[in-house]
Amino acid sequence: GAKRPVEQVCWFGAIEFCNKLSELEGLEPVYTVNGRDVTCNWSAKGYRLPTEAEWEYAARAGQKYIYAGSNNVDEVAWYRENSDTGNGRQTHLVGQKKPNGFGLYDMSGNVWEWVWDWKGTYSSSPTVDPQGPTSGSRRVFRGGSWYSRARYVRVSYRYHYGPAGTLGDLGFRLCRL
């Protein structure tokens, strides 16, 4: 529905959506796609997936909570223990839980969200706005979902999957310069 998060979309589908929405709005597309090879023009003004660092910054919103906006998971997230609606477990309407400090909803729970980055380790050196590894076999997603246990909807939790894969609780969030 129009007020539910997108789900069951692969990373490549999210990239394609970003470019098509950019073109529809007369913006320069961010991604160049050549088969399975995707490059990012970081100076383009179109829509894109956030980097993992940008996603975490947005989720934390300058706060030190375990979940995006609270230390109480039930205040801010749809997750396994609170998602049985009587019709089975599924996504929920966006905006029913408390937003984080930036006013963003569902950064914890509801659906996992693809980010730009390949799976890799975090650098132990301080960095500003890192863009992650330049290659890999799995892309990162963040945030947990309606199907996740509470520990997986923590802001700090990271997971990964092949970029052509889809899951019933995996979607994406857009960003734009």
Side-chain angles (χ1 to χ4, degrees):
K3 297 194 183 236
R4 289 185 185 264
V6 66
E7 59 184 87
Q8 301 182 44
V9 61
C10 69
W11 184 88
F12 290 112
I15 294 299
E16 182 180 352
F17 182 88
C18 290
N19 275 354
K20 287 190 181 204
L21 183 59
S22 296
E23 290 169 356
L24 183 68
E25 293 189 10
L27 302 168
E28 180 183 7
V30 171
Y31 302 112
T32 301
V33 180
N34 184 7
R36 295 288 187 192
D37 183 36
V38 179
T39 57
C40 182
N41 175 357
W42 295 103
S43 62
K45 303 293 185 203
Y47 292 96
R48 64 179 176 82
L49 296 178
T51 64
E52 188 172 12
E54 288 170 331
W55 186 96
E56 189 163 333
Y57 179 84
R60 289 195 184 283
Q63 301 169 320
K64 295 187 187 271
Y65 293 124
I66 297 168
Y67 308 101
S70 179
N71 285 326
N72 179 342
V73 66
D74 287 308
E75 287 183 353
V76 294
W78 291 110
Y79 66 110
R80 182 177 290 200
E81 285 78 12
N82 71 2
S83 284
D84 192 348
T85 63
N87 296 324
R89 293 181 174 146
Q90 60 185 343
T91 61
H92 295 271
L93 298 174
V94 173
Q96 293 183 321
K97 296 288 184 176
K98 177 181 160 188
N100 73 0
F102 287 157
L104 301 173
Y105 292 91
D106 299 335
M107 294 292 295
S108 288
N110 218 358
V111 295
W112 290 99
E113 298 175 358
W114 286 114
V115 297
W116 165 256
D117 299 59
W118 290 105
K119 181 194 177 288
T121 56
Y122 273 162
S123 171
S124 59
S125 304
T127 56
V128 175
D129 209 15
Q131 296 173 354
T134 57
S135 63
S137 62
R138 294 177 166 268
R139 293 284 184 170
V140 175
F141 51 89
R142 301 290 297 266
S145 78
W146 58 267
Y147 189 69
S148 302
R149 299 225 181 262
R151 69 179 171 258
Y152 301 121
V153 302
R154 293 174 299 146
V155 172
S156 61
Y157 194 79
R158 336 167 45 217
Y159 209 68
H160 52 88
Y161 202 54
T166 62
L167 298 170
D169 60 346
L170 176 55
F172 63 96
R173 184 180 298 261
L174 302 179
C175 70
R176 202 178 131 216
L177 292 178

